[in-house]
Amino acid sequence: MLLFPHKKSISDEEVASYEQQSFAGEIHIVDSHEKMRHAVEYLQNCPVLGFDTETRPAFTKNVKYDVALLQLSNDKHAFLFQLQKTGIPRNLAKLLASPKICKVGVAVRDDIVKLHELCNCKMHGFVDLQAIAKQLGIENISLKKLTAIVLGFRISKKQQTSNWEMNSLTPAQKNYAATDAWVSYEMYKRLEAYF
């Protein structure tokens, strides 16, 4: 059920009535330099990647945490980089800096700023779906509502405020993180025809 281009806004109640979907491909946890090498070798050959990050939520004033997880996905594979274990080595930094690889997400500016704090490198090739959605007249631009309007299903946001710095991510966290990057990839591919 694809709603766009006929529908430009959606209510919370309507989103809640949609079937929930999540990433059905293979999820790869990248928590070592060997896994990093394999992940980057695969990803550097992908012209478009869904992109997102997760940071441990701070429930105390003036407390903030570094990005814990970087997610890059296409329709078949989602790579979850546990940055507190690997940092951002040169090969990953090169991928993030490449203007030839389109890294697409929602509200990417803050993610880029936080990643820049971990590696002092220029980052290129990032596309914000919110900017595209606004140009196309879509009024609701949160990831959840954009997914419903553009892809016709809903995604779960239950794991959003979980602890992303855990040594081992739970299955629910892995699924959530992979899904957030994957839906950005799918929305970009769907909207390409309109911009």
Side-chain angles (χ1 to χ4, degrees):
M1 172 176 47
L2 298 173
L3 305 178
F4 182 81
H6 309 292
K7 193 170 185 81
K8 305 286 175 93
S9 66
I10 194 165
S11 68
D12 291 333
E13 293 75 26
E14 193 173 353
V15 172
S17 73
Y18 287 5
E19 176 190 353
Q20 183 175 307
Q21 290 189 31
S22 60
F23 180 65
E26 193 172 345
I27 299 174
H28 308 268
I29 302 299
V30 182
D31 58 3
S32 70
H33 290 287
E34 180 66 15
K35 290 178 184 176
M36 176 76 68
R37 187 173 59 78
H38 290 299
V40 172
E41 280 176 9
Y42 176 83
L43 292 166
Q44 67 191 6
N45 294 307
C46 299
V48 177
L49 292 168
F51 161 81
D52 195 22
T53 67
E54 303 298 338
T55 302
R56 177 181 175 181
F59 299 109
T60 309
K61 192 176 178 180
N62 298 324
V63 172
K64 70 174 199 167
Y65 297 99
D66 290 332
V67 174
L69 199 69
L70 164 66
Q71 304 105 270
L72 294 170
S73 178
N74 62 15
D75 56 338
K76 295 178 179 63
H77 297 275
F79 294 86
L80 311 183
F81 295 84
Q82 289 190 289
L83 299 181
Q84 77 271 20
K85 293 182 180 181
T86 64
I88 301 179
R90 184 175 292 140
N91 57 351
L92 181 57
K94 188 175 175 183
L95 186 144
L96 294 172
S98 174
K100 294 178 183 174
I101 301 170
C102 178
K103 295 156 289 273
V104 59
V106 169
V108 299
R109 186 181 164 279
D110 288 344
D111 293 329
I112 293 168
V113 168
K114 289 177 185 172
L115 286 172
H116 188 73
E117 292 171 3
L118 297 179
C119 80
N120 192 16
C121 67
K122 300 266 188 209
M123 299 197 192
H124 300 285
F126 287 85
V127 174
D128 195 329
L129 281 170
Q130 287 183 330
I132 292 170
K134 285 178 184 175
Q135 289 172 1
L136 296 174
I138 299 174
E139 296 167 20
N140 302 129
I141 58 172
S142 69
L143 181 63
K144 189 172 186 175
K145 288 193 172 183
L146 265 180
T147 299
I149 291 169
V150 177
L151 300 176
F153 59 81
R154 69 181 166 89
I155 56 173
S156 172
K157 300 302 284 179
K158 287 182 182 173
Q159 296 296 315
Q160 188 170 22
T161 58
S162 63
N163 181 2
W164 294 102
E165 293 183 357
M166 288 175 29
N167 192 47
S168 295
L169 298 174
T170 67
Q173 284 179 309
K174 292 175 192 176
N175 185 270
Y176 170 93
T179 297
D180 272 10
W182 165 69
V183 293
S184 288
Y185 171 87
E186 293 293 344
M187 282 192 281
Y188 182 83
K189 299 304 274 185
R190 163 83 174 129
L191 293 173
E192 255 184 321
Y194 298 96
F195 60 85

